[in-house]
Amino acid sequence: MREILTVQAGQCGNQIGTAFWKNIIQEHGIDEEGKYVGTNEAQIERANVYFSEARDRRYVPRVVGVDLEPGVINSIRESKYGHLFRPESMVCADNGAGNNWAKGFYTEGAELLDSVLDIVRREAEGCDLLSGFQVCHSVAGGTGSGLGSLLLQKIREEYPDRMLSTFTVMPSAKASDTVVEPYNSVLTIHHLIENSDMTFCLDNEALGRICVETLKIKSPVHDDLNNLVARVMSGVTTSLRFPGQLNADLRKLAVNMVPFPRLHFLISGIAPLTGSQAQSYRNVTVPDLCQQMYDARNMMVLTDPRHGRYLTCAAMFRGKVSLKECEDTILAYADKNPSVFIEWIPNSTQIAVCDVPRFDMDISSTFLGNSTSIQELFARIRIQFSSMFRRKAFIHWFTDEGMDEMEFTEAESNIADLINEYKQYQDAAVDEDFASYEGAAFDDPHADVDADIHSMGPPDDAAY
């Protein structure tokens, strides 16, 4: 079995991670104590991807939860899902990172690193065939950004041949919890570019907008946002957890979604999204799912895909749906909107169907897109970073922890290069010279070879 080990770092990472586990134990028919209580064997057939099996068929999440302050870890232990997790897999310190990336990466986080890596090694050694790692974190705070970056770096060094994917909460355009958020974000994205294989981007502001405008929740709280994130995570991992026709492990998913190694930042969307009062008035069909999936208002990141182009896409349908209907609907959308897709990557949309529906709806879908419009997010963060760094504001908090100013410059330069790469591929068209060369090659594939042979003349006997 191709197992996946989940690492949750910081307050945000642990909260969205816990919401994810609440979600998937219901899908796999597992109760709060880890016992299987379901009725469909397909539920449990590939549960070992995310769970390890203990005595008496008890399923234990394969997870490492880490935080630099005890509050969130203790609240998870004391919740009704606390018995689900192995006690020693939750690690915390007491001092906190104080919203400082350097504390998480160099001082407080570095002190906790060895004990976290020991748990990671033990979990990895207990796997038959470890497929890769899934890291949940935020880039805005101190622990998720600093310690998250450190864990990404160390896991990449220790397991270079394993896939490393992240569910990353990006900073919002308007609402900000921390003044030094642009510093933390740029430094973390720098490490994500270098060490992650796939990064699923999420954004609190986009999630809040979906809750208010689409789900009609007047005053959304963190639980509402976390539930949306959990739906995205369970949808993205559907093809890993249940039998399906496509993307059966992390590596296959990455091969289909990442055409260039640095351009691995994906936007996501889910469907159906309907307010609770309107649900009884709707009969959801595959075209409805497709229309909502591609809708910019339902994307989990505050970027507009219409301002860029899709390099690759994946649509994952769940429930009793026809594969042909799904393919026809997606192809019809691509034919109507050719400018949205890069023309030099044919068949760029991958489709998967899983027969096992979500526990709370008959049919649903999850959308993943590698869109060049994500550069808007990075450009926004870079502008905020530059305006502060130009005047060296708040830098002393980072350098006091042993950090060098050059790291800021390198990180900003790396993000600037990434933005330029997205622009380059967005504007690239099919090369006319290459197309004409292809046409000539198809007319007479041996013409050039024959000409080369004749131009060489007879063989030189002296050479032999």
Side-chain angles (χ1 to χ4, degrees):
M1 189 61 71
R2 292 172 173 172
E3 297 93 346
I4 294 170
L5 173 55
T6 304
V7 180
Q8 303 167 181
Q11 177 179 345
C12 177
N14 278 291
Q15 286 177 340
I16 64 174
T18 304
F20 167 66
W21 292 111
K22 289 180 189 176
N23 219 291
I24 68 167
I25 62 170
Q26 295 182 69
E27 293 188 7
H28 286 286
I30 296 169
D31 66 11
E32 294 90 347
E33 298 293 326
K35 298 291 179 69
Y36 176 61
V37 292
T39 54
N40 183 354
E41 277 302 312
Q43 285 180 309
I44 211 70
E45 184 180 332
R46 293 178 65 177
N48 287 342
V49 170
Y50 276 100
F51 297 86
S52 52
E53 197 170 339
R55 286 186 301 177
D56 304 326
R57 287 202 76 183
R58 178 174 182 169
Y59 290 90
V60 181
R62 191 178 294 104
V63 62
V64 180
V66 55
D67 200 357
L68 292 178
E69 53 190 16
V72 175
I73 297 289
N74 288 342
S75 67
I76 293 171
R77 285 174 177 156
E78 291 163 8
S79 70
K80 72 173 185 176
Y81 296 95
H83 296 296
L84 189 64
F85 304 102
R86 191 178 283 115
E88 62 268 23
S89 67
M90 295 287 180
V91 186
C92 62
D94 296 320
N95 296 332
N99 290 324
N100 186 336
W101 185 90
K103 267 187 176 292
F105 192 89
Y106 285 109
T107 51
E108 303 293 343
E111 290 175 13
L112 200 62
L113 180 68
D114 287 341
S115 56
V116 175
L117 289 178
D118 284 342
I119 301 168
V120 169
R121 287 186 201 103
R122 190 188 65 230
E123 292 285 359
E125 286 164 6
C127 298
D128 293 334
L129 178 59
L130 181 66
S131 175
F133 298 86
Q134 170 180 299
V135 179
C136 305
H137 69 130
S138 161
V139 301
T143 306
S145 63
L147 181 55
S149 300
L150 184 60
L151 286 169
L152 283 170
Q153 182 179 307
K154 295 300 179 183
I155 289 172
R156 172 58 76 212
E157 286 174 7
E158 200 154 323
Y159 302 93
D161 57 340
R162 296 289 170 249
M163 296 300 292
L164 185 51
S165 67
T166 72
F167 287 90
T168 302
V169 178
M170 295 290 183
S172 304
K174 298 173 187 172
S176 172
D177 298 330
T178 323
V179 179
V180 293
E181 186 176 87
Y183 287 161
N184 295 335
S185 303
V186 166
L187 292 165
T188 310
I189 292 168
H190 172 54
H191 280 268
L192 286 169
I193 293 170
E194 301 303 324
N195 296 316
S196 168
D197 292 306
M198 275 187 300
T199 293
F200 304 99
C201 300
L202 306 156
D203 175 354
N204 275 337
E205 190 172 343
L207 296 170
R209 186 187 63 186
I210 290 169
C211 285
V212 173
E213 296 180 6
T214 309
L215 300 181
K216 309 300 180 188
I217 302 170
K218 290 182 180 177
S219 302
V221 294
H222 277 297
D223 282 349
D224 297 317
L225 306 186
N226 292 342
N227 288 336
L228 269 181
V229 175
R231 277 187 62 183
V232 173
M233 291 176 71
S234 67
V236 167
T237 59
T238 296
S239 55
L240 316 177
R241 297 182 289 116
F242 297 107
Q245 291 93 342
L246 177 77
N247 300 339
D249 63 22
L250 278 176
R251 194 171 299 277
K252 284 184 183 176
L253 183 59
V255 165
N256 283 322
M257 292 304 299
V258 182
F260 306 101
R262 284 166 58 86
L263 310 190
H264 57 251
F265 294 88
L266 312 180
I267 60 176
S268 54
I270 50 175
L273 285 169
T274 315
S276 55
Q277 293 180 339
Q279 280 180 355
S280 57
Y281 296 92
R282 288 192 66 183
N283 180 29
V284 180
T285 61
V286 171
D288 289 339
L289 295 178
C290 181
Q291 183 267 325
Q292 273 207 324
M293 278 195 310
Y294 283 106
D295 191 340
R297 291 170 300 177
N298 293 335
M299 294 301 168
M300 300 293 169
V301 181
L302 207 63
T303 64
D304 192 339
R306 292 169 294 188
H307 296 165
R309 305 177 79 188
Y310 286 113
L311 296 166
T312 54
C313 301
M316 303 168 188
F317 295 89
R318 297 186 63 176
K320 302 294 182 186
V321 293
S322 160
L323 178 60
K324 185 178 187 306
E325 185 183 8
C326 295
E327 289 175 343
D328 291 345
T329 308
I330 295 290
L331 288 173
Y333 180 86
D335 290 341
K336 285 180 186 173
N337 304 276
S339 62
V340 178
F341 300 91
I342 294 288
E343 67 270 17
W344 39 267
I345 302 181
N347 307 318
S348 60
T349 301
Q350 304 294 319
I351 299 167
V353 175
C354 170
D355 295 335
V356 181
R358 273 183 59 84
F359 59 89
D360 54 355
M361 53 189 68
D362 295 329
I363 64 170
S364 60
S365 64
T366 305
F367 172 79
L368 288 176
N370 193 338
S371 171
T372 58
S373 65
I374 197 81
Q375 65 182 284
E376 293 177 357
L377 171 69
F378 299 129
R380 188 178 74 223
I381 294 170
R382 187 185 168 219
I383 289 168
Q384 293 173 345
F385 173 92
S386 299
S387 62
M388 284 168 52
F389 185 63
R390 196 179 304 124
R391 293 165 180 80
K392 301 291 188 286
F394 303 102
I395 289 292
H396 64 283
W397 293 110
F398 295 80
T399 54
D400 286 351
E401 301 295 329
M403 194 173 161
D404 191 337
E405 267 190 45
M406 277 302 294
E407 288 187 57
F408 287 96
T409 311
E410 287 172 15
E412 184 186 17
S413 173
N414 202 2
I415 289 185
D417 291 344
L418 182 70
I419 293 169
N420 288 332
E421 284 176 54
Y422 274 115
K423 286 178 181 173
Q424 173 194 337
Y425 290 117
Q426 178 175 315
D427 300 335
V430 176
D431 192 340
E432 292 179 10
D433 294 338
F434 178 72
S436 61
Y437 164 76
E438 268 198 322
F442 281 123
D443 291 340
D444 186 359
H446 302 295
D448 292 343
V449 177
D450 292 341
D452 289 343
I453 291 172
H454 289 306
S455 67
M456 290 166 63
D460 188 354
D461 295 335
Y464 297 96

mmCIF file of all heavy atoms in Angstrom, residues 25 28-38 44 54-60 83-84:
data_model
loop_
_atom_site.group_PDB
_atom_site.id
_atom_site.type_symbol
_atom_site.label_atom_id
_atom_site.label_comp_id
_atom_site.label_asym_id
_atom_site.label_seq_id
_atom_site.Cartn_x
_atom_site.Cartn_y
_atom_site.Cartn_z
ATOM 1 N N ILE A 25 -12.672 10.279 8.434
ATOM 2 C CA ILE A 25 -13.109 9.097 9.202
ATOM 3 C C ILE A 25 -14.582 8.815 8.916
ATOM 4 O O ILE A 25 -15.003 7.652 8.918
ATOM 5 C CB ILE A 25 -12.853 9.242 10.729
ATOM 6 C CG1 ILE A 25 -13.624 10.411 11.326
ATOM 7 C CG2 ILE A 25 -11.374 9.329 11.036
ATOM 8 C CD1 ILE A 25 -13.582 10.435 12.858
ATOM 9 N N HIS A 28 -14.638 6.974 5.585
ATOM 10 C CA HIS A 28 -14.138 5.592 5.672
ATOM 11 C C HIS A 28 -14.923 4.747 6.669
ATOM 12 O O HIS A 28 -14.561 3.582 6.897
ATOM 13 C CB HIS A 28 -12.657 5.600 6.060
ATOM 14 C CG HIS A 28 -11.747 6.025 4.941
ATOM 15 N ND1 HIS A 28 -11.457 5.219 3.865
ATOM 16 C CD2 HIS A 28 -11.080 7.184 4.713
ATOM 17 C CE1 HIS A 28 -10.649 5.849 3.038
ATOM 18 N NE2 HIS A 28 -10.405 7.055 3.528
ATOM 19 N N GLY A 29 -15.969 5.317 7.266
ATOM 20 C CA GLY A 29 -16.785 4.545 8.204
ATOM 21 C C GLY A 29 -16.068 4.219 9.497
ATOM 22 O O GLY A 29 -16.249 3.126 10.058
ATOM 23 N N ILE A 30 -15.244 5.153 9.993
ATOM 24 C CA ILE A 30 -14.486 4.941 11.229
ATOM 25 C C ILE A 30 -15.037 5.893 12.291
ATOM 26 O O ILE A 30 -15.317 7.063 11.999
ATOM 27 C CB ILE A 30 -12.983 5.218 10.989
ATOM 28 C CG1 ILE A 30 -12.420 4.200 9.979
ATOM 29 C CG2 ILE A 30 -12.181 5.157 12.275
ATOM 30 C CD1 ILE A 30 -11.027 4.533 9.460
ATOM 31 N N ASP A 31 -15.223 5.403 13.515
ATOM 32 C CA ASP A 31 -15.768 6.257 14.571
ATOM 33 C C ASP A 31 -14.651 7.013 15.302
ATOM 34 O O ASP A 31 -13.467 6.895 14.964
ATOM 35 C CB ASP A 31 -16.628 5.447 15.557
ATOM 36 C CG ASP A 31 -15.816 4.431 16.358
ATOM 37 O OD1 ASP A 31 -14.565 4.483 16.325
ATOM 38 O OD2 ASP A 31 -16.437 3.574 17.025
ATOM 39 N N GLU A 32 -15.034 7.782 16.347
ATOM 40 C CA GLU A 32 -14.058 8.636 17.056
ATOM 41 C C GLU A 32 -13.005 7.845 17.814
ATOM 42 O O GLU A 32 -11.967 8.393 18.195
ATOM 43 C CB GLU A 32 -14.775 9.577 18.041
ATOM 44 C CG GLU A 32 -15.662 10.625 17.394
ATOM 45 C CD GLU A 32 -17.089 10.135 17.202
ATOM 46 O OE1 GLU A 32 -17.308 8.896 17.340
ATOM 47 O OE2 GLU A 32 -17.969 10.953 16.919
ATOM 48 N N GLU A 33 -13.250 6.560 18.030
ATOM 49 C CA GLU A 33 -12.280 5.713 18.731
ATOM 50 C C GLU A 33 -11.375 4.962 17.765
ATOM 51 O O GLU A 33 -10.495 4.211 18.186
ATOM 52 C CB GLU A 33 -13.014 4.698 19.627
ATOM 53 C CG GLU A 33 -13.858 5.327 20.731
ATOM 54 C CD GLU A 33 -13.010 6.036 21.769
ATOM 55 O OE1 GLU A 33 -11.889 5.556 22.049
ATOM 56 O OE2 GLU A 33 -13.436 7.082 22.284
ATOM 57 N N GLY A 34 -11.618 5.146 16.450
ATOM 58 C CA GLY A 34 -10.793 4.468 15.453
ATOM 59 C C GLY A 34 -11.326 3.118 15.028
ATOM 60 O O GLY A 34 -10.648 2.391 14.290
ATOM 61 N N LYS A 35 -12.538 2.746 15.457
ATOM 62 C CA LYS A 35 -13.127 1.440 15.091
ATOM 63 C C LYS A 35 -13.948 1.570 13.808
ATOM 64 O O LYS A 35 -14.650 2.569 13.604
ATOM 65 C CB LYS A 35 -14.034 0.925 16.218
ATOM 66 C CG LYS A 35 -13.301 0.673 17.543
ATOM 67 C CD LYS A 35 -12.357 -0.511 17.404
ATOM 68 C CE LYS A 35 -11.588 -0.775 18.697
ATOM 69 N NZ LYS A 35 -12.421 -1.266 19.783
ATOM 70 N N TYR A 36 -13.858 0.544 12.954
ATOM 71 C CA TYR A 36 -14.619 0.560 11.710
ATOM 72 C C TYR A 36 -16.069 0.194 11.983
ATOM 73 O O TYR A 36 -16.363 -0.860 12.545
ATOM 74 C CB TYR A 36 -14.012 -0.428 10.704
ATOM 75 C CG TYR A 36 -14.804 -0.545 9.424
ATOM 76 C CD1 TYR A 36 -15.002 0.566 8.609
ATOM 77 C CD2 TYR A 36 -15.358 -1.762 9.035
ATOM 78 C CE1 TYR A 36 -15.738 0.472 7.442
ATOM 79 C CE2 TYR A 36 -16.093 -1.871 7.853
ATOM 80 C CZ TYR A 36 -16.277 -0.747 7.069
ATOM 81 O OH TYR A 36 -17.012 -0.836 5.902
ATOM 82 N N VAL A 37 -16.970 1.089 11.593
ATOM 83 C CA VAL A 37 -18.402 0.839 11.830
ATOM 84 C C VAL A 37 -19.195 0.949 10.523
ATOM 85 O O VAL A 37 -20.416 1.015 10.545
ATOM 86 C CB VAL A 37 -18.967 1.841 12.868
ATOM 87 C CG1 VAL A 37 -18.377 1.592 14.237
ATOM 88 C CG2 VAL A 37 -18.715 3.289 12.431
ATOM 89 N N GLY A 38 -18.493 0.980 9.394
ATOM 90 C CA GLY A 38 -19.157 1.156 8.107
ATOM 91 C C GLY A 38 -19.771 -0.127 7.582
ATOM 92 O O GLY A 38 -19.690 -1.201 8.201
ATOM 93 N N ILE A 44 -13.094 0.826 3.349
ATOM 94 C CA ILE A 44 -11.934 0.457 4.162
ATOM 95 C C ILE A 44 -10.821 -0.183 3.332
ATOM 96 O O ILE A 44 -9.722 -0.423 3.825
ATOM 97 C CB ILE A 44 -12.396 -0.497 5.297
ATOM 98 C CG1 ILE A 44 -11.526 -0.308 6.537
ATOM 99 C CG2 ILE A 44 -12.461 -1.942 4.848
ATOM 100 C CD1 ILE A 44 -11.756 1.005 7.225
ATOM 101 N N ALA A 54 -3.957 -0.789 14.131
ATOM 102 C CA ALA A 54 -3.467 -1.263 15.426
ATOM 103 C C ALA A 54 -4.231 -2.538 15.811
ATOM 104 O O ALA A 54 -4.897 -3.155 14.983
ATOM 105 C CB ALA A 54 -3.657 -0.173 16.477
ATOM 106 N N ARG A 55 -4.142 -2.923 17.080
ATOM 107 C CA ARG A 55 -4.827 -4.138 17.524
ATOM 108 C C ARG A 55 -6.344 -3.974 17.445
ATOM 109 O O ARG A 55 -6.864 -2.861 17.524
ATOM 110 C CB ARG A 55 -4.430 -4.457 18.968
ATOM 111 C CG ARG A 55 -3.021 -5.017 19.076
ATOM 112 C CD ARG A 55 -2.717 -5.448 20.488
ATOM 113 N NE ARG A 55 -2.846 -4.349 21.444
ATOM 114 C CZ ARG A 55 -2.690 -4.483 22.753
ATOM 115 N NH1 ARG A 55 -2.420 -5.668 23.265
ATOM 116 N NH2 ARG A 55 -2.801 -3.443 23.549
ATOM 117 N N ASP A 56 -7.043 -5.092 17.318
ATOM 118 C CA ASP A 56 -8.516 -5.127 17.281
ATOM 119 C C ASP A 56 -9.075 -4.267 16.141
ATOM 120 O O ASP A 56 -10.130 -3.637 16.284
ATOM 121 C CB ASP A 56 -9.105 -4.650 18.615
ATOM 122 C CG ASP A 56 -8.586 -5.461 19.797
ATOM 123 O OD1 ASP A 56 -8.360 -6.664 19.603
ATOM 124 O OD2 ASP A 56 -8.409 -4.882 20.880
ATOM 125 N N ARG A 57 -8.350 -4.218 15.029
ATOM 126 C CA ARG A 57 -8.785 -3.467 13.843
ATOM 127 C C ARG A 57 -9.094 -2.012 14.190
ATOM 128 O O ARG A 57 -10.077 -1.428 13.718
ATOM 129 C CB ARG A 57 -10.000 -4.121 13.185
ATOM 130 C CG ARG A 57 -9.688 -5.407 12.446
ATOM 131 C CD ARG A 57 -10.728 -5.708 11.413
ATOM 132 N NE ARG A 57 -10.586 -4.855 10.224
ATOM 133 C CZ ARG A 57 -11.437 -4.887 9.194
ATOM 134 N NH1 ARG A 57 -12.476 -5.696 9.209
ATOM 135 N NH2 ARG A 57 -11.241 -4.101 8.160
ATOM 136 N N ARG A 58 -8.254 -1.439 14.997
ATOM 137 C CA ARG A 58 -8.388 -0.012 15.303
ATOM 138 C C ARG A 58 -7.522 0.774 14.324
ATOM 139 O O ARG A 58 -6.345 0.472 14.155
ATOM 140 C CB ARG A 58 -7.947 0.264 16.738
ATOM 141 C CG ARG A 58 -8.012 1.736 17.093
ATOM 142 C CD ARG A 58 -7.716 1.992 18.552
ATOM 143 N NE ARG A 58 -7.840 3.407 18.857
ATOM 144 C CZ ARG A 58 -7.854 3.909 20.072
ATOM 145 N NH1 ARG A 58 -7.753 3.093 21.119
ATOM 146 N NH2 ARG A 58 -7.984 5.198 20.285
ATOM 147 N N TYR A 59 -8.109 1.787 13.698
ATOM 148 C CA TYR A 59 -7.402 2.575 12.693
ATOM 149 C C TYR A 59 -6.902 3.876 13.316
ATOM 150 O O TYR A 59 -7.685 4.655 13.875
ATOM 151 C CB TYR A 59 -8.308 2.851 11.500
ATOM 152 C CG TYR A 59 -8.589 1.600 10.695
ATOM 153 C CD1 TYR A 59 -9.685 0.782 10.988
ATOM 154 C CD2 TYR A 59 -7.737 1.206 9.669
ATOM 155 C CE1 TYR A 59 -9.930 -0.371 10.267
ATOM 156 C CE2 TYR A 59 -7.967 0.053 8.937
ATOM 157 C CZ TYR A 59 -9.064 -0.735 9.245
ATOM 158 O OH TYR A 59 -9.301 -1.891 8.531
ATOM 159 N N VAL A 60 -5.582 4.086 13.216
ATOM 160 C CA VAL A 60 -4.944 5.250 13.836
ATOM 161 C C VAL A 60 -4.399 6.153 12.732
ATOM 162 O O VAL A 60 -3.655 5.682 11.858
ATOM 163 C CB VAL A 60 -3.789 4.811 14.763
ATOM 164 C CG1 VAL A 60 -3.146 6.028 15.429
ATOM 165 C CG2 VAL A 60 -4.289 3.823 15.806
ATOM 166 N N HIS A 83 -8.969 10.797 21.256
ATOM 167 C CA HIS A 83 -8.578 9.384 21.376
ATOM 168 C C HIS A 83 -8.226 8.760 20.028
ATOM 169 O O HIS A 83 -7.706 7.653 19.973
ATOM 170 C CB HIS A 83 -9.706 8.573 22.026
ATOM 171 C CG HIS A 83 -9.992 8.993 23.435
ATOM 172 N ND1 HIS A 83 -9.077 8.858 24.449
ATOM 173 C CD2 HIS A 83 -11.083 9.565 23.994
ATOM 174 C CE1 HIS A 83 -9.585 9.308 25.580
ATOM 175 N NE2 HIS A 83 -10.805 9.753 25.330
ATOM 176 N N LEU A 84 -8.537 9.488 18.946
ATOM 177 C CA LEU A 84 -8.242 8.963 17.618
ATOM 178 C C LEU A 84 -6.734 8.953 17.355
ATOM 179 O O LEU A 84 -6.215 8.054 16.693
ATOM 180 C CB LEU A 84 -8.958 9.840 16.584
ATOM 181 C CG LEU A 84 -8.984 9.388 15.128
ATOM 182 C CD1 LEU A 84 -9.765 8.091 14.982
ATOM 183 C CD2 LEU A 84 -9.603 10.480 14.256
#
